[in-house]
Amino acid sequence: MSEAAVRLILKMEWGGEYSLDSSNLDCLLDVLPTEPEFQQILSDLDEKIKKNSSSIDQCLKDLQAEVNEICPDEILQSTADCLQWLNNCSFSSLRPCPTNHGELMEFLRTLQSLLKNEQNQEEMILHFLLDLSSQCGVSFPCTPSGTSFELTSSLHAVEDDSTMDVKSLWDDVRLHLRRFLVNRLQSQEETATNALQQQMEFKTQCMQQLLFLYPESEVLVKYQNMQKKVVRDLIQNCILSSCGETNFDKVVHGYQSSIPTLCTMIKEDLYLLCATVDPSSSLTFVNETYLVTITEEITVLLERLCELQFKENALHIVKANKISKKHRGTVHAVASQEYPQKGRNFCLTLYQLKCLSQLIKLFLLMEEKIEEVPAEILLVPSFTERNKNAQGVLKKASGELLIGESRANETSVLPEQLLQVEEPILLNFGWRNAFKDLSSSVAHCITIAIEDFSTKILQHEQKEEFSAASYAMSLVNNQQMWESCRAVQQEEQPKRIAKFCSDIMEELDTLLPLALACRDDSLQEIRANFVEACSKVATAVLARLEEKSKDVPSKAPLQDLCAALSTAIYVSQHFTAYSNLMRETSKKPLSLMPVQQYQELISVLQFQVTNYCIRVCATSILQDAESHHWDDYKAFYEGERCSFSIQMWHYFCCALHHDLWTILPPKTAQEILTDVLEESLSMLSSRYCQACPCYKRTPQIRIDIAAILMSTEDMLWSVCSSVKEFLNPHEERDLKIYKIHGHCNSLLSVLAILTSPLKNLYQTFLDNSDEHLPQDFSEVFYHPLHWLFCIPASCSSLLKTPSAREMAAQGQLKLLLSQPYCNLNLLLETLLHHDCLLVKILLRSSRNEVLNRHEQSSLLEQNNNKEPTLIETIFTVLSYCTLSPKSLGIAFETYMEKEQLWNCLYEMTVSSCGESEPEVIRCLKLTLINSVKGIVKQIISLMHSWEATENYGTYQHKQIVPESLLKTVPKDWNYTPREMKRKESGKCFTRLAAQAVSIVISKLPTVIACLPPPIKYFFFLAERKMSRNFAELKKAGLLVWNLIVIICRIFEDGNTAELLTGATLDRWSKEKLSLIHVCLESIMGKQKSGPKQVIQKVIQSIEQQRPNWIESQLLKAIKLSTDCASATVGATLEEGDIGFTEQKINMMVLDICHKPGGSEYLRQIYHIIQLNEEYLKKQLSCENSSEDDVTSSKCLPLTLKGREEQPDFNPFQVYRESCAKVFNQSTITEWNWDWSKLLPSYLGMDQMTFRMLLAHRWEMKEGADLEDEEKVMVGHLKNVYLTQSTPTSEEKEEQLP
């Protein structure tokens, strides 16, 4: 291939005359673009495709002309012919031409002499040989060691005589160079102190230089042997690092230390090989070098351990037979004798089984990791591309080799050849084979071990129960669900479980990997025995839980019934997870009988808990003869307190709430509490509807019902899991909640009809001038939440009007904190509610944490620990809320103004680590830096390609080629020595800078389109806060301005560019990047002085090619940022209160949880809200006060604490809280009921119910002591409602709708 052809291809790569462009759309996955943004992204892609097509076409035309000029015998008629020529071109097709033998011998002897007699000449000679190959077309032999060869050239070739002398000289030269390169690779492996990218670049260069000297197969074998030794040494050193004999524990510890390093090595070598050889060779290399070697090592180790264990068991049996009596611990040995042996079976203790299981778990994790690597690096799903033919080697001027693969003309392939499909090469990790000899022993021992430890744990638990003073079950916190059960939603995860069950499941979790290692028929015996043993354990635990449940209430408290239910759920979830995991690796069905039995037990226990609580309320708590003696002529405690039964019912509900919330899964807990509350309210409603109090007991009815409603309102926040369920319960969707409201409204109707003053009742239900019923009953307003808005001093302050379907901020906070778990949907809804009011309070209260200037060290320490602060957490969460783009700006607007931070946005710096930077600015800056990272990488790649191409053939190494060597180069090769120093023409740099600036400007619209909408709106809001002093910046657009400023700062400081991209830049590259930054500043009008001449040339060059293009691109970018913000402004944020449906909130929560750290950020905010509940309630109550009055100097606790133990139920504390909130008797008795508003709402009430309640009033009884006016009113009411026989009343009944 001609030098010109190589030049053309390399120029096309770096983007000089033939620029190949690409769109970096990685950030597109993080946002949901709107229609204009989609259009911009698609148009950008279309533009790049057209541009690349044009560049490739022009490159091929130029290459066609070049080939036609240099090679007259190969006339290319079209670009298609050009592609065909490139496809068929390879070094093997070059025709040998004679080269003077004497000159060649002298050249090779000089190389040999330099390598032997001079030190550190290897790198220079390598670069020199590569330069000769690329410039002169000399093909240096790449034959295997010890074979004959021909040195060919596109111009001359070697004569036939004395080839062995030339061969021996060349072999000696390349052997010396090979040793040098191998030593460099080995030293790199030992030190590995450089950055990963630099290390990979170095190793890639060494490999490519080896491939220049030797054939691929030989290089791979040499490198393979070297890496095999590294792998073996690593494993053996990790295992033998501790003193003493090798045992199971040491093997596990050794592989635990070595496997992360091995995974990294595999990934690095795949990266290395994918740049030098084809994918199939890369996968074969990994298989043979790593996976086979690791399998061999673990096989040898396990064989050694098996031998030691077998000897130990045999010695133990001999001793046991001599003593002739059974010692403790020989059960396994005797059992192993009785077991039919396959080969040599031996006993494994539980500890050894755990070690093997842990070892298998390590291999399963390693297997999972390396299976992902081929798809990530080679872009193939663990199999290689097929039908690859001969390789050719292209040389870059920097010394790198490009491995190209030429294919035969597809038109010449026969149909039968097309049908031949090669078997794809896969990564094959055969570590399971190492455990085959152990499988029989493990399968036998695992059954005995599981039965042994489960029996011991159950027996120990039973002994503790008999010895304990009380029958209460010993519980432990379910700190963290096992990793396989993480698919279980948090609302379904038990909180506390029986300790004996936790111990058993912990042991089973440890042994589970032994069963998961089985695939198809391999090691199936282990899995079958594990499943069988688990079934037995599950049955035993099930029986124990059933026994425990029968002890309630005769021997054990209700808490034990809740614990049994929670434990049953825990075990069921575990075994379901086991079944799912095993089903993934085996087609054989597993027995689900234990899981089905547990599901039945769960249903029975849940019903038992609910039914027991309802029976307790019905038969014990609510049986109160003294309090409910309604005919008693004496007032109950002078009418100043509620009934004992009502107070005890409230305490019982509080205690039940505590047990359910601290033991059961949140969803189950809410279901049970809802059922108990609904059923008990049903009983209370029925009883009070039948009450016929005397005059003295009527106030007690009112106080009792008020206390019931207040207690129900307090519990209602806990049983409702969403705002919609609380404010708008539906009979079909939320039947239980709907019934609770119905019972409360019934109780309120009893209070209104039975205890209201007679005069108010008479005026409401009868017209003073005419005795007839009111009309239009059906049009009277009625709502399920009616009772909540009728109770004085109730939660109505936490709600808005029932028709508005809204909840006040205090109510939203109370609903959130009343849940039995961190409800992420409700949390996000609370944060966005009422213009992010709660977020504003959190930000206002946390100012001291950020702006405490005298605590700089703690701030830097926090940054080093990478613990996100509250402000960073809130910013990240709100920036993820793409469906609520205004929330970020609204939440931080007041904070930015108070801290005077708007001006910080007008020119961000990139590196300000030593300064105390406001966190909001830092978060914004990091977001913008991440968005332009792709542009920076592309510019740096452009710089490297330009450097390689424009200095094609020049010396990149530090050493100068000696004159003595240059003189010996055969004259027929026409080698022209390159200049030692780079000569840069202004035209070359102008073209480079113009290309770089064009890339930046062209990608700005797409970068803005891919930014999250909350960030764009934030900058739009900042523009409106901008003072007149920044009129020029406002014209450019604040967001566009900051993006370009950040790019400029990165280019200005080469160290920052290296840190951001991981690339290595020399001084020349840094200087050129700095000049590109000056060009960008000039375009944005930031330069104080006039631009330099070279900068003017760059801008003029762009304008000449595409007039007004820069301005149009900037306008397009500005329009994209403002259009998105304008659309956001158009959608009013009232949506944030009533427009955020459950579906939208759920979508945003899912989006946040899929982002880095999203769910943890939400939980951190929730934890801080929990810690400061009272403070936040106080701040929210001052919502209508002035900002200064609300501001508090109190700092929130911003560090996440460990999970604290749930406090035990304290009835005295509940009593104190109840006295203050629910049973504040003086407050209840002094309530000023607004009967004129309450009674009219019952005009549409069912007439039969109304008559019944009216008849139960004490005034309606015969012989009631009434005044004359009261007698008249009572008479009228009786005539209208209670005298059924009168024609008037019958006619009036017929008139009712």
Side-chain angles (χ1 to χ4, degrees):
M1 187 179 295
S2 68
E3 178 184 353
V6 176
R7 276 181 173 275
L8 285 170
I9 292 171
L10 294 177
K11 282 185 178 180
M12 183 177 71
E13 182 184 318
W14 80 264
E17 299 170 9
Y18 318 102
S19 59
L20 286 180
D21 207 349
S22 62
S23 290
N24 183 18
L25 299 180
D26 295 340
C27 50
L28 183 59
L29 300 174
D30 298 332
V31 297
L32 186 64
T34 59
E35 183 64 25
E37 293 161 343
F38 260 127
Q39 291 299 328
Q40 168 56 37
I41 292 166
L42 292 175
S43 66
D44 181 63
L45 286 171
D46 186 55
E47 182 182 346
K48 299 300 182 293
I49 290 170
K50 289 179 180 177
K51 186 177 178 183
N52 291 345
S53 175
S54 175
S55 297
I56 293 171
D57 190 53
Q58 184 61 40
C59 172
L60 289 174
K61 287 179 181 178
D62 291 347
L63 181 60
Q64 177 187 348
E66 186 91 16
V67 171
N68 289 341
E69 181 182 348
I70 296 176
C71 306
D73 55 336
E74 293 197 39
I75 301 299
L76 306 178
Q77 301 294 338
S78 63
T79 53
D81 294 341
C82 191
L83 286 172
Q84 183 68 35
W85 178 81
L86 281 172
N87 214 22
N88 295 331
C89 183
S90 69
F91 287 99
S92 60
S93 64
L94 296 176
R95 293 171 298 178
C97 300
T99 298
N100 186 275
H101 177 261
E103 293 181 359
L104 183 59
M105 291 290 291
E106 185 182 1
F107 173 71
L108 293 175
R109 286 195 189 98
T110 307
L111 288 176
Q112 185 186 43
S113 175
L114 280 171
L115 290 171
K116 288 184 176 180
N117 301 324
E118 300 289 338
Q119 291 184 350
N120 303 323
Q121 297 296 309
E122 291 85 357
E123 188 174 1
M124 177 273 295
I125 289 176
L126 275 169
H127 282 280
F128 178 63
L129 292 175
L130 290 166
D131 187 27
L132 278 172
S133 177
S134 61
Q135 184 191 149
C136 306
V138 176
S139 177
F140 289 98
C142 189
T143 55
S145 303
T147 61
S148 60
F149 75 105
E150 271 189 323
L151 184 65
T152 60
S153 168
S154 57
L155 301 177
H156 303 280
V158 184
E159 296 174 356
D160 293 336
D161 58 336
S162 305
T163 55
M164 293 306 297
D165 294 334
V166 174
K167 175 189 176 304
S168 60
L169 283 172
W170 172 242
D171 278 351
D172 190 52
V173 168
R174 63 176 182 164
L175 179 62
H176 194 107
L177 295 175
R178 187 182 75 178
R179 288 172 181 165
F180 166 73
L181 292 172
V182 170
N183 287 335
R184 292 183 77 180
L185 282 171
Q186 288 176 335
S187 61
Q188 184 74 7
E189 288 286 351
E190 292 171 2
T191 56
T193 54
N194 295 332
L196 179 61
Q197 185 168 351
Q198 295 177 6
Q199 185 178 340
M200 292 308 302
E201 288 176 357
F202 174 81
K203 291 178 71 173
T204 302
Q205 186 181 36
C206 289
M207 285 293 292
Q208 290 170 337
Q209 289 170 343
L210 281 170
L211 288 170
F212 174 75
L213 300 171
Y214 290 91
E216 178 184 304
S217 58
E218 191 169 342
V219 172
L220 289 180
V221 168
K222 181 67 179 177
Y223 185 62
Q224 188 177 75
N225 293 334
M226 187 179 78
Q227 292 298 86
K228 276 185 178 181
K229 185 177 183 303
V230 173
V231 171
R232 286 198 172 94
D233 290 346
L234 174 65
I235 294 173
Q236 291 171 5
N237 290 338
C238 288
I239 294 172
L240 301 176
S241 58
S242 53
C243 57
E245 290 186 359
T246 303
N247 54 32
F248 286 94
D249 201 13
K250 287 183 180 178
V251 172
V252 172
H253 183 269
Y255 275 91
Q256 201 167 13
S257 304
S258 60
I259 279 179
T261 307
L262 291 171
C263 289
T264 304
M265 290 174 64
I266 291 172
K267 195 170 184 178
E268 288 179 0
D269 274 349
L270 268 180
Y271 271 117
L272 169 67
L273 295 172
C274 75
T276 51
V277 299
D278 62 279
S280 61
S281 300
S282 302
L283 294 174
T284 303
F285 178 88
V286 171
N287 278 333
E288 296 175 356
T289 309
Y290 290 98
L291 306 186
V292 172
T293 306
I294 294 170
T295 304
E296 289 173 354
E297 288 296 313
I298 187 62
T299 303
V300 171
L301 283 169
L302 288 178
E303 286 176 356
R304 191 185 309 162
L305 290 174
C306 291
E307 187 70 30
L308 291 172
Q309 189 64 29
F310 184 79
K311 290 179 180 178
E312 183 180 337
N313 287 165
L315 182 64
H316 190 65
I317 293 171
V318 170
K319 287 183 179 179
N321 291 334
K322 284 182 178 179
I323 299 173
S324 299
K325 73 176 182 179
K326 190 180 293 183
H327 282 282
R328 186 176 301 170
T330 62
V331 179
H332 299 316
V334 174
S336 65
Q337 280 183 309
E338 297 173 355
Y339 187 74
Q341 297 185 1
K342 293 180 182 179
R344 294 191 306 175
N345 287 329
F346 48 86
C347 169
L348 292 168
T349 64
L350 176 61
Y351 178 74
Q352 290 169 337
L353 287 174
K354 286 181 179 180
C355 289
L356 284 173
S357 180
Q358 193 174 356
L359 186 61
I360 287 175
K361 184 178 180 181
L362 290 171
F363 282 120
L364 286 170
L365 291 173
M366 181 179 181
E367 187 177 55
E368 184 181 347
K369 284 184 179 180
I370 64 175
E371 280 179 354
E372 298 169 356
V373 172
E376 177 187 346
I377 299 174
L378 303 177
L379 302 179
V380 291
S382 301
F383 57 86
T384 182
E385 296 179 16
R386 299 181 291 275
N387 300 327
K388 298 292 183 181
N389 292 327
Q391 296 180 350
V393 182
L394 296 181
K395 166 67 179 54
K396 276 188 180 179
S398 59
E400 298 176 354
L401 295 176
L402 295 175
I403 304 303
E405 287 152 341
S406 58
R407 296 178 299 179
N409 186 1
E410 293 182 4
T411 57
S412 63
V413 179
L414 297 176
E416 56 269 20
Q417 291 176 315
L418 292 174
L419 295 175
Q420 296 175 0
V421 179
E422 296 179 11
E423 189 69 23
I425 296 177
L426 305 173
L427 286 180
N428 183 20
F429 195 7
W431 60 270
R432 289 175 178 81
N433 297 328
F435 292 84
K436 281 187 177 179
D437 292 340
L438 277 169
S439 61
S440 179
S441 299
V442 171
H444 173 59
C445 295
I446 196 171
T447 304
I448 299 174
I450 291 175
E451 290 178 358
D452 188 27
F453 71 68
S454 59
T455 304
K456 286 180 179 178
I457 292 172
L458 288 171
Q459 289 175 350
H460 179 71
E461 189 272 338
Q462 203 161 17
K463 288 179 182 178
E464 281 190 343
E465 179 184 339
F466 291 144
S467 61
S470 65
Y471 279 87
M473 196 183 298
S474 178
L475 304 179
V476 293
N477 288 337
N478 179 23
Q479 295 286 352
Q480 178 63 51
M481 289 295 288
W482 183 63
E483 58 187 9
S484 67
C485 299
R486 287 178 186 170
V488 178
Q489 297 294 326
Q490 189 184 1
E491 62 181 9
E492 297 176 356
Q493 294 180 9
K495 292 185 176 179
R496 304 195 80 195
I497 56 175
K499 183 180 183 303
F500 75 89
C501 182
S502 175
D503 294 340
I504 290 174
M505 297 311 297
E506 186 178 349
E507 298 286 357
L508 290 178
D509 287 347
T510 308
L511 298 177
L512 178 64
L514 292 170
L516 295 181
C518 307
R519 282 189 177 176
D520 300 328
D521 296 330
S522 175
L523 310 178
Q524 281 294 336
E525 190 181 3
I526 298 175
R527 170 173 292 181
N529 288 5
F530 179 81
V531 171
E532 183 182 354
C534 283
S535 298
K536 291 180 180 178
V537 170
T539 305
V541 172
L542 186 77
R544 188 74 186 116
L545 291 176
E546 287 176 341
E547 290 176 14
K548 287 284 187 181
S549 65
K550 291 175 183 176
D551 290 339
V552 179
S554 58
K555 296 180 180 179
L558 173 64
Q559 189 184 50
D560 276 21
L561 201 57
C562 297
L565 174 57
S566 181
T567 304
I569 294 171
Y570 176 82
V571 176
S572 174
Q573 289 173 350
H574 250 69
F575 283 124
T576 302
Y578 285 4
S579 179
N580 294 335
L581 284 171
M582 292 182 195
R583 193 179 290 114
E584 289 176 3
T585 56
S586 175
K587 297 179 181 177
K588 295 184 179 180
L590 299 169
S591 173
L592 293 177
M593 189 59 67
V595 176
Q596 293 170 356
Q597 291 174 348
Y598 271 90
Q599 292 298 332
E600 293 171 4
L601 177 64
I602 289 167
S603 300
V604 170
L605 290 177
Q606 184 167 344
F607 173 79
Q608 193 175 343
V609 172
T610 307
N611 191 49
Y612 172 78
C613 294
I614 294 169
R615 283 190 291 108
V616 167
C617 290
T619 60
S620 178
I621 295 176
L622 298 181
Q623 293 299 327
D624 187 3
E626 181 184 356
S627 302
H628 292 170
H629 189 192
W630 305 120
D631 291 334
D632 194 349
Y633 66 94
K634 284 186 178 181
F636 183 71
Y637 283 84
E638 300 180 359
E640 294 181 355
R641 66 155 295 150
C642 69
S643 302
F644 295 128
S645 58
I646 302 304
Q647 193 164 357
M648 293 310 298
W649 170 75
H650 173 76
Y651 292 154
F652 176 77
C653 287
C654 290
L656 178 63
H657 175 278
H658 177 273
D659 287 346
L660 296 176
W661 257 234
T662 55
I663 296 175
L664 287 170
K667 186 177 180 181
T668 308
Q670 282 184 313
E671 288 175 0
I672 292 175
L673 186 60
T674 304
D675 289 343
V676 173
L677 184 61
E678 189 271 323
E679 290 291 344
S680 58
L681 283 173
S682 176
M683 289 185 289
L684 288 169
S685 174
S686 176
R687 290 188 182 185
Y688 280 92
C689 282
Q690 298 173 27
C692 300
C694 64
Y695 171 71
K696 291 287 187 179
R697 287 294 181 122
T698 297
Q700 184 190 348
I701 294 280
R702 186 185 304 154
I703 294 173
D704 279 3
I705 293 177
I708 292 170
L709 296 180
M710 289 293 293
S711 178
T712 303
E713 178 266 322
D714 192 50
M715 304 297 292
L716 191 62
W717 298 97
S718 299
V719 298
C720 294
S721 57
S722 67
V723 175
K724 184 178 181 180
E725 191 178 5
F726 191 104
L727 294 179
N728 189 29
H730 195 273
E731 189 172 2
E732 296 180 0
R733 185 185 61 245
D734 314 301
L735 179 60
K736 293 291 183 181
I737 304 296
Y738 190 84
K739 284 184 177 181
I740 289 172
H741 285 298
H743 298 322
C744 290
N745 280 313
S746 296
L747 286 166
L748 185 62
S749 66
V750 173
L751 182 146
I753 306 302
L754 203 59
T755 69
S756 61
L758 180 62
K759 185 177 181 180
N760 294 88
L761 183 71
Y762 179 81
Q763 289 175 349
T764 302
F765 285 87
L766 286 179
D767 191 281
N768 290 330
S769 59
D770 188 13
E771 294 183 0
H772 62 79
L773 292 173
Q775 301 298 316
D776 300 328
F777 284 121
S778 60
E779 296 179 6
V780 176
F781 172 77
Y782 185 78
H783 189 272
L785 268 65
H786 168 68
W787 64 277
L788 281 173
F789 292 90
C790 293
I791 308 173
S794 73
C795 70
S796 56
S797 60
L798 307 181
L799 307 173
K800 298 185 180 180
T801 59
S803 59
R805 305 286 192 272
E806 294 182 51
M807 186 176 285
Q810 300 99 307
Q812 195 88 34
L813 178 63
K814 184 171 183 179
L815 182 63
L816 171 67
L817 296 177
S818 299
Q819 301 303 300
Y821 71 112
C822 176
N823 187 328
L824 297 183
N825 286 25
L826 196 53
L827 171 61
L828 183 62
E829 189 176 356
T830 305
L831 294 176
L832 300 179
H833 185 270
H834 200 66
D835 286 355
C836 305
L837 179 61
L838 185 63
V839 174
K840 291 177 181 177
I841 294 173
L842 289 170
L843 291 173
R844 182 173 62 232
S845 304
S846 62
R847 279 187 301 174
N848 296 336
E849 184 240 348
V850 180
L851 300 178
N852 229 346
R853 298 296 188 233
H854 65 274
E855 293 183 355
Q856 293 293 322
S857 59
S858 63
L859 181 63
L860 291 174
E861 184 180 350
Q862 189 179 41
N863 288 337
N864 293 333
N865 293 336
K866 296 182 179 179
E867 294 179 358
T869 60
L870 176 62
I871 293 178
E872 181 183 347
T873 302
I874 291 174
F875 180 92
T876 306
V877 167
L878 294 182
S879 66
Y880 289 161
C881 295
T882 54
L883 295 179
S884 178
K886 284 185 70 176
S887 298
L888 178 66
I890 287 176
F892 279 88
E893 183 176 4
T894 306
Y895 175 81
M896 296 284 288
E897 287 173 354
K898 283 204 169 285
E899 304 307 321
Q900 300 178 353
L901 297 178
W902 290 117
N903 291 338
C904 297
L905 291 175
Y906 300 147
E907 188 163 342
M908 294 185 184
T909 58
V910 175
S911 56
S912 54
C913 300
E915 305 171 12
S916 175
E917 187 177 35
E919 283 189 86
V920 185
I921 305 302
R922 181 169 60 85
C923 292
L924 281 168
K925 185 180 70 178
L926 288 174
T927 303
L928 298 187
I929 288 174
N930 287 331
S931 68
V932 301
K933 191 183 291 186
I935 296 178
V936 176
K937 286 182 177 179
Q938 189 170 349
I939 298 299
I940 290 176
S941 175
L942 175 71
M943 300 288 297
H944 287 161
S945 300
W946 184 89
E947 184 178 6
T949 308
E950 202 57 34
N951 297 280
Y952 174 77
T954 59
Y955 301 132
Q956 303 299 311
H957 48 274
K958 298 177 182 178
Q959 295 166 300
I960 299 174
V961 180
E963 190 66 29
S964 59
L965 179 59
L966 290 174
K967 288 179 180 179
T968 62
V969 176
K971 295 179 181 178
D972 294 337
W973 291 357
N974 291 335
Y975 175 69
T976 306
R978 301 294 177 177
E979 297 183 10
M980 304 309 158
K981 293 183 180 179
R982 182 185 293 119
K983 284 189 177 179
E984 300 165 1
S985 63
K987 182 179 179 182
C988 290
F989 172 72
T990 301
R991 196 168 71 244
L992 167 68
Q995 180 71 13
V997 171
S998 297
I999 289 173
V1000 173
I1001 300 299
S1002 66
K1003 289 190 178 294
L1004 271 178
T1006 305
V1007 167
I1008 289 176
C1010 293
L1011 276 173
I1015 300 296
K1016 285 184 268 195
Y1017 179 78
F1018 193 93
F1019 278 95
F1020 173 79
L1021 189 64
E1023 281 187 18
R1024 296 199 298 183
K1025 304 288 182 180
M1026 202 181 294
S1027 64
R1028 295 180 181 177
N1029 299 332
F1030 298 96
E1032 183 180 343
L1033 183 144
K1034 190 171 183 178
K1035 182 180 178 183
L1038 184 59
L1039 180 55
V1040 177
W1041 176 277
N1042 273 293
L1043 284 171
I1044 294 181
V1045 165
I1046 283 176
I1047 294 172
C1048 288
R1049 294 293 170 267
I1050 294 171
F1051 288 165
E1052 185 180 17
D1053 182 9
N1055 296 331
T1056 304
E1058 287 181 327
L1059 186 65
L1060 184 65
T1061 61
T1064 305
L1065 300 174
D1066 56 16
R1067 189 177 65 179
W1068 177 88
S1069 297
K1070 291 179 181 179
E1071 289 174 357
K1072 294 300 172 279
L1073 283 177
S1074 182
L1075 288 173
I1076 293 170
H1077 127 258
V1078 176
C1079 292
L1080 291 171
E1081 281 193 341
S1082 179
I1083 289 173
M1084 297 303 293
K1086 284 192 60 180
Q1087 281 190 314
K1088 296 180 181 179
S1089 58
K1092 299 177 182 179
Q1093 187 176 2
V1094 65
I1095 306 303
Q1096 289 178 337
K1097 285 182 179 179
V1098 171
I1099 298 173
Q1100 287 173 4
S1101 171
I1102 299 173
E1103 287 294 330
Q1104 286 174 359
Q1105 290 184 5
R1106 289 183 279 187
N1108 300 323
W1109 176 77
I1110 295 177
E1111 185 178 354
S1112 67
Q1113 284 294 107
L1114 293 176
L1115 288 174
K1116 189 189 296 183
I1118 294 168
K1119 188 174 185 298
L1120 275 170
S1121 61
T1122 54
D1123 284 354
C1124 173
S1126 301
T1128 303
V1129 173
T1132 59
L1133 196 70
E1134 276 116 22
E1135 276 189 356
D1137 291 336
I1138 61 175
F1140 279 145
T1141 61
E1142 289 183 8
Q1143 184 181 6
K1144 282 187 177 180
I1145 291 291
N1146 190 49
M1147 286 174 62
M1148 283 194 283
V1149 169
L1150 287 175
D1151 193 30
I1152 291 171
C1153 291
H1154 281 90
K1155 299 290 178 60
S1159 58
E1160 291 304 317
Y1161 288 151
L1162 284 173
R1163 287 189 174 87
Q1164 182 181 348
I1165 295 172
Y1166 177 77
H1167 187 73
I1168 292 170
I1169 291 173
Q1170 273 187 316
L1171 293 176
N1172 302 273
E1173 179 179 357
E1174 295 303 322
Y1175 166 72
L1176 293 173
K1177 284 179 180 178
K1178 181 181 177 182
Q1179 294 291 307
L1180 287 172
S1181 66
C1182 302
E1183 176 186 350
N1184 298 323
S1185 304
S1186 64
E1187 191 84 9
D1188 296 333
D1189 295 336
V1190 178
T1191 303
S1192 172
S1193 60
K1194 176 183 176 182
C1195 276
L1196 298 179
L1198 299 176
T1199 54
L1200 286 173
K1201 298 180 180 178
R1203 180 177 294 184
E1204 298 176 359
E1205 291 291 333
Q1206 289 285 350
D1208 293 331
F1209 179 72
N1210 186 347
F1212 298 104
Q1213 183 181 355
V1214 174
Y1215 173 77
R1216 288 192 297 269
E1217 292 176 355
S1218 300
C1219 284
K1221 294 194 316 185
V1222 180
F1223 298 108
N1224 191 340
Q1225 305 301 330
S1226 60
T1227 304
I1228 294 178
T1229 53
E1230 294 172 6
W1231 275 354
N1232 183 20
W1233 291 88
D1234 191 348
W1235 303 110
S1236 61
K1237 289 184 179 179
L1238 176 61
L1239 288 171
S1241 61
Y1242 294 100
L1243 291 174
M1245 160 179 213
D1246 177 71
Q1247 287 300 296
M1248 185 176 293
T1249 306
F1250 177 75
R1251 289 191 182 106
M1252 181 190 69
L1253 294 176
L1254 184 63
H1256 291 172
R1257 287 183 67 96
W1258 69 271
E1259 296 97 338
M1260 300 297 169
K1261 294 180 181 179
E1262 294 295 332
D1265 187 11
L1266 301 173
E1267 297 180 358
D1268 294 339
E1269 184 182 358
E1270 291 175 334
K1271 289 180 180 178
V1272 173
M1273 290 188 287
V1274 168
H1276 284 181
L1277 287 169
K1278 283 183 177 180
N1279 290 335
V1280 175
Y1281 293 102
L1282 303 181
T1283 308
Q1284 299 291 335
S1285 58
T1286 60
T1288 1
S1289 65
E1290 290 177 2
E1291 291 171 3
K1292 290 174 181 178
E1293 281 185 11
E1294 290 175 0
Q1295 294 173 5
L1296 290 176

